[in-house]
Amino acid sequence: MTVRPDRIVADIRIADEACVLTSEDMIDKALSRYPHLLDHACVNDRGETFGAVASRTSVAHLVEHMTIEGQARLSSGAKRLFVGKTSWTNRAKLLARVEISYEDDLVALSSLRAAVLFADYLLREREEESSSRR
């Protein structure tokens, strides 16, 4: 992770291929903690909001949007506008990069940590549900 003057940059390794993409269940659970996710502006191939791709996007992309919402919730600034970008740095090795603007670096880092921990929780829960169905 790197804190730059205008953004934080986090390299995220996805554990395995089964954990790469979000699912509808995962997004439904994320909405309980991040209720505005689907309304976020988002540049993507399917629409103008994160909601257009939310149920079938990379988990790293979900982490980006959860971090943005976490920051917006804690922001004291009048603008409260945050910009993010997620890209694969090495898709074969499941390495993604998330870049997010911030007002306060400590709030951004805290929001990112919370988002990563929550994504990990959602993935563990999905794995447990999948195991119990077998």
Side-chain angles (χ1 to χ4, degrees), residues 71-126:
Q71 283 191 92
R73 187 179 305 138
L74 299 171
S75 173
S76 59
K79 256 173 95 172
R80 291 177 24 166
L81 176 66
F82 301 98
V83 178
K85 176 183 174 185
T86 299
S87 57
W88 289 107
T89 54
N90 188 325
R91 177 63 175 86
K93 293 184 178 180
L94 305 178
L95 297 172
R97 175 165 288 165
V98 175
E99 301 182 43
I100 304 163
S101 66
Y102 63 85
E103 284 179 350
D104 180 315
D105 59 342
L106 297 179
V107 170
L109 292 168
S110 174
S111 296
L112 176 62
R113 183 176 189 277
V116 168
L117 289 172
F118 192 62
D120 284 345
Y121 163 78
L122 293 173
L123 289 167
R124 272 193 317 276
E125 201 173 64
R126 181 166 77 183

Side-chain angles (χ1 to χ4, degrees), residues 4-117:
R4 295 188 179 163
D6 62 336
R7 67 190 179 279
I8 56 173
V9 179
D11 291 324
I12 296 175
R13 184 182 165 285
I14 306 297
D16 68 41
E17 190 65 39
C19 299
V20 168
L21 296 177
T22 58
S23 64
E24 286 186 29
D25 289 349
M26 192 177 204
I27 295 302
D28 287 344
K29 291 172 184 169
L31 288 170
S32 68
R33 186 168 292 183
Y34 301 93
H36 306 289
L37 279 176
L38 301 182
D39 301 324
H40 291 195
C42 181
V43 176
N44 64 70
D45 296 338
R46 295 190 203 136
E48 296 180 3
T49 65
F50 182 66
V53 294
S55 65
R56 192 91 174 135
T57 192
S58 73
V59 169
H61 191 201
L62 174 61
V63 167
E64 171 199 332
H65 282 274
M66 291 191 301
T67 302
I68 287 171
E69 186 155 330
Q71 283 191 92
R73 187 179 305 138
L74 299 171
S75 173
S76 59
K79 256 173 95 172
R80 291 177 24 166
L81 176 66
F82 301 98
V83 178
K85 176 183 174 185
T86 299
S87 57
W88 289 107
T89 54
N90 188 325
R91 177 63 175 86
K93 293 184 178 180
L94 305 178
L95 297 172
R97 175 165 288 165
V98 175
E99 301 182 43
I100 304 163
S101 66
Y102 63 85
E103 284 179 350
D104 180 315
D105 59 342
L106 297 179
V107 170
L109 292 168
S110 174
S111 296
L112 176 62
R113 183 176 189 277
V116 168
L117 289 172

